[in-house]
Amino acid sequence: MLLPVIMAGGTGSRLWPLSRELMPKQFLKLCGDTTMLQATVQRLQGLELETPLVICNEEHRFIAAEQLRQIDRLNHNIILEPVGRNTAPAIALAALTAIKQGQDPLLLVLAADHVIQDSETFHQAIAKATTLAQADQLVTFGIVPTAAETGYGYIRRGVATSLSDQAFSVAEFVEKPGLTTAQQYLESGEYYWNSGMFMFKASVYLAELKQFRPEILAACEAAISNVEPDLDFIRVDKEAFSACVADSIDYAVMEKTTKAVVVPMAAGWSDVGSWSSLWEISSKDQAHNVHLGQVFQHNSQHNYVYAETGIVATVGLQNTVVIQTKDAVLVAAKDKVQDVKNIVQQLKAAGRSEHYIHREVYRPWGKYDSIDNGSRYQVKHISVKPGEKLSIQMHHHRAEHWIVVHGTARVTINEHEQLLTENQSVYIPIGAVHSLENPGKIPLELIEVQSGAYLGEDDIVRFSDRYGRS
C-alpha cells in the first residue's frame, strides 16, 4: 500500500506579495487552473494508493480542507501541526498515524509546493523507489541537474544498489554550494539536486528515527496518543508536540542512516522558490514574457508580469518581475528576486499586515474583501457559500449594516430571525448577538459597512461556531 504524505506547511515569503503567511504558495494557482496542493494530489492519478495524508499548519486548515474537497480528496485526512517543527517530526506524525490505524504502508513524502511537468517520468521513478522501499531502504529522489544551481542542496551518489542499477547508495548530502562548486558538481555527473521527496515504510522510518533522534520520536508519540476529533482534521496534542525539537529529515535521519538510496529523476521538477524560477517553467510569448491578467507591453522582453486587478503596462522593460495585487505592487530585477524576503522582513518590522494577510481573506464559510476603510469605518464585500453560516457573535465596539446584493441571507439579531433578499438591508447595533447564514443554493453576496471606535477582527465574541473557532 502506498500512502502519499503531502507536506503543506511553510510561508513562501520569496513569492510575496502573492504568497503571504495566511495564504502561502502551496494554496495558490501559480501554474494552471489548480492550486499547487491540488496539482500535487492530482499528478498521482493512475497510481494505486491510499487517500493522501496532508500535513499543514493550524491556521491553514480550512483552506487545505476546502481545496481537497474541491477535488474529492477530503476524508478526515489533514494532520494539523500546532507549531512548526520541520520535516522530521511532521513525517513521524504521519507514520505514527498510519501505524495507529493498523497499517504499515510505504510513505511517499511529497511537498505541496513543487512543480513536476512530466508526470509519466515521475510515476516511473515512484515504481523504482517502491521496489527499494519494500526492501527496507529509505529512498530519496534526486533531480538530475540542468544547471549549476546555487539555490538547492545536492546529493552525491555512491555505487549502484544491488536491487537496481538505476538507483544508488547515498554517498553524502551537501549544502547549497557556491557557483564554482555547483559547476563542478554539474560536470562530474555524480550529483543530484535534493528534491525533498522520499519513500520508505512507516515502520522503517520510525525505527531509524528512534535510533538517531529518539527524543523526536518520543515527543511525536506523546502528541499522537491523545488525538482530538475535529471535523476533517487530526489534531495532535499541542503541549506534547511543542516540546519536540525542530529538525529536518535530512539532518535527523537521512544523513545518518546506512539505508539511504537515491533514485535519479528528470521530470521537469522545480520547487518554485522564486519569481525567476516561476518565469523559467511558465509558457512565454515571442518576446519571452510571461503575462498573467490584463497586461499590455511595448518593447519589453524577458519579464514576468502578474496583474490581479486592473491593467499593468510595461514599456521598454527587460528582465523584470512585476506583481500587482489588490494591496501591494512588487517591481524587482529578475536576478535579484531572492531578496524579496528582505522586503517581507521590513514589513514585519514596520508593523504592517501585508506580509501576513491579503486584502481578500478566506474563511471556512466563504471569504471577505476589505474594499475601503477609514478612521471609524470599514467596508467589506462578503461572500457566503451555500448552506454555510458565520458564528453567532457580538461586537463591543462596532455596529454593522448589511446590504444583500446577490442571493438570500438568513439573519438573526437577538434571537429575531429574518430573511433578506437582493437590495434589502439590516442594521446590527453594538452589543447585539447576531448571526448570518446562506440558506440558499447559490452564493450569498453582501456589502458590510462597519462603524465604530475599534474595527479590529479581534473584536468578536463568539457564542457558537460550527467550525470550532473560539
Side-chain angles (χ1 to χ4, degrees):
M1 184 176 63
L2 189 63
L3 174 63
V5 176
I6 300 177
M7 314 293 287
T11 58
S13 61
R14 288 177 295 178
L15 290 180
W16 184 88
L18 209 54
S19 177
R20 313 225 179 157
E21 288 187 28
L22 282 189
M23 183 60 80
K25 65 176 180 175
Q26 59 266 29
F27 303 116
L28 299 176
K29 296 179 181 179
L30 295 177
C31 303
D33 297 329
T34 58
T35 69
M36 300 193 78
L37 170 61
Q38 291 171 331
T40 301
V41 175
Q42 291 178 330
R43 74 170 60 100
L44 298 172
Q45 290 179 354
L47 300 174
E48 293 186 10
L49 42 79
E50 295 293 309
T51 301
L53 272 178
V54 175
I55 304 176
C56 74
N57 298 338
E58 171 90 16
E59 59 189 4
H60 300 147
R61 63 193 186 279
F62 295 119
I63 300 172
E66 174 62 16
Q67 293 191 1
L68 291 177
R69 185 197 62 79
Q70 290 172 358
I71 59 173
D72 196 27
R73 289 295 184 274
L74 182 61
N75 184 25
H76 192 64
N77 57 327
I78 301 176
I79 299 176
L80 298 180
E81 288 185 293
V83 292
R85 287 295 181 261
N86 215 319
T87 53
I91 297 168
L93 291 180
L96 289 167
T97 298
I99 289 178
K100 193 175 182 180
Q101 295 171 350
Q103 304 167 343
D104 185 15
L106 298 182
L107 304 184
L108 174 61
V109 180
L110 306 172
D113 58 355
H114 290 178
V115 168
I116 295 177
Q117 296 174 313
D118 185 350
S119 292
E120 183 177 351
T121 298
F122 177 52
H123 288 189
Q124 292 170 357
I126 289 174
K128 296 173 187 175
T130 298
T131 301
L132 297 162
Q134 287 172 337
D136 293 347
Q137 301 298 293
L138 278 71
V139 184
T140 184
F141 296 87
I143 307 302
V144 178
T146 56
E149 175 61 57
T150 59
Y152 298 143
Y154 283 72
I155 300 169
R156 182 168 67 88
R157 75 184 189 195
V159 297
T161 67
S162 59
L163 294 172
S164 172
D165 60 1
Q166 299 181 60
F168 305 88
S169 63
V170 172
E172 66 174 330
F173 289 84
V174 293
E175 299 292 340
K176 298 175 182 178
L179 183 59
T180 301
T181 302
Q183 188 64 45
Q184 293 172 351
Y185 289 170
L186 183 65
E187 293 171 354
S188 74
E190 296 180 353
Y191 289 81
Y192 305 108
W193 292 337
N194 187 351
S195 70
M197 299 186 293
F198 306 92
M199 186 190 294
F200 34 66
K201 287 181 183 176
S203 59
V204 172
Y205 173 71
L206 294 176
E208 295 298 283
L209 187 64
K210 183 176 182 179
Q211 179 179 350
F212 299 114
R213 296 302 302 271
E215 73 280 15
I216 292 180
L217 179 60
C220 291
E221 287 175 333
I224 208 72
S225 65
N226 185 26
V227 173
E228 298 179 14
D230 181 10
L231 300 174
D232 295 297
F233 311 115
I234 300 169
R235 191 184 293 275
V236 304
D237 184 88
K238 181 177 181 178
E239 183 177 352
F241 193 68
S242 298
C244 184
V245 297
D247 205 356
S248 71
I249 181 177
D250 285 350
Y251 288 141
V253 174
M254 297 302 291
E255 291 187 1
K256 298 179 174 69
T257 183
T258 59
K259 298 181 178 182
V261 296
V262 58
V263 171
M265 184 174 72
W269 173 90
S270 172
D271 73 345
V272 196
S274 67
W275 289 113
S276 58
S277 63
L278 192 54
W279 174 84
E280 290 172 358
I281 65 173
S282 299
S283 299
K284 305 171 185 64
D285 62 18
Q286 292 183 342
H288 303 284
N289 293 310
V290 177
H291 288 165
L292 299 169
Q294 299 185 73
V295 180
F296 295 83
Q297 67 88 18
H298 173 71
N299 192 27
S300 298
Q301 299 87 30
H302 298 272
N303 301 310
Y304 187 99
V305 185
Y306 177 96
E308 184 174 73
T309 60
I311 293 172
V312 174
T314 65
V315 178
L317 199 66
Q318 285 86 36
N319 297 307
T320 302
V321 170
V322 181
I323 310 297
Q324 179 265 334
T325 68
K326 290 180 178 180
D327 60 352
V329 177
L330 168 72
V331 181
K334 202 166 63 184
D335 62 351
K336 301 295 184 183
V337 291
Q338 295 285 352
D339 295 334
V340 169
K341 59 186 178 182
N342 295 325
I343 299 297
V344 173
Q345 293 301 320
Q346 290 183 42
L347 291 170
K348 290 182 180 179
R352 305 281 306 201
S353 64
E354 288 85 355
H355 72 281
Y356 180 70
I357 195 168
H358 280 277
R359 203 184 81 176
E360 188 172 68
V361 178
Y362 287 84
R363 291 287 186 255
W365 44 260
K367 62 182 179 179
Y368 69 82
D369 185 1
S370 299
I371 56 182
D372 194 15
N373 64 80
S375 61
R376 291 182 60 87
Y377 75 91
Q378 182 168 216
V379 182
K380 292 182 177 180
H381 174 203
I382 296 178
S383 302
V384 184
K385 294 180 289 188
E388 298 298 334
K389 180 181 180 179
L390 283 67
S391 60
I392 300 173
Q393 57 187 257
M394 180 267 285
H395 311 295
H396 289 293
H397 304 290
R398 72 175 185 249
E400 297 175 343
H401 289 82
W402 293 344
I403 305 99
V404 177
V405 296
H406 182 72
T408 300
R410 178 181 289 132
V411 179
T412 303
I413 304 174
N414 292 330
E415 299 184 355
H416 174 67
E417 182 179 297
Q418 56 186 306
L419 289 178
L420 300 180
T421 57
E422 294 180 11
N423 299 320
Q424 293 184 322
S425 62
V426 69
Y427 171 68
I428 300 100
I430 291 176
V433 177
H434 60 280
S435 66
L436 173 66
E437 183 176 3
N438 179 0
K441 303 296 184 183
I442 62 175
L444 165 63
E445 308 282 338
L446 59 84
I447 300 299
E448 176 182 88
V449 181
Q450 303 176 357
S451 59
Y454 180 74
L455 305 174
E457 284 299 307
D458 54 350
D459 181 24
I460 298 178
V461 179
R462 288 192 174 96
F463 297 97
S464 176
D465 182 70
R466 65 173 59 174
Y467 311 107
R469 299 171 297 170
S470 57

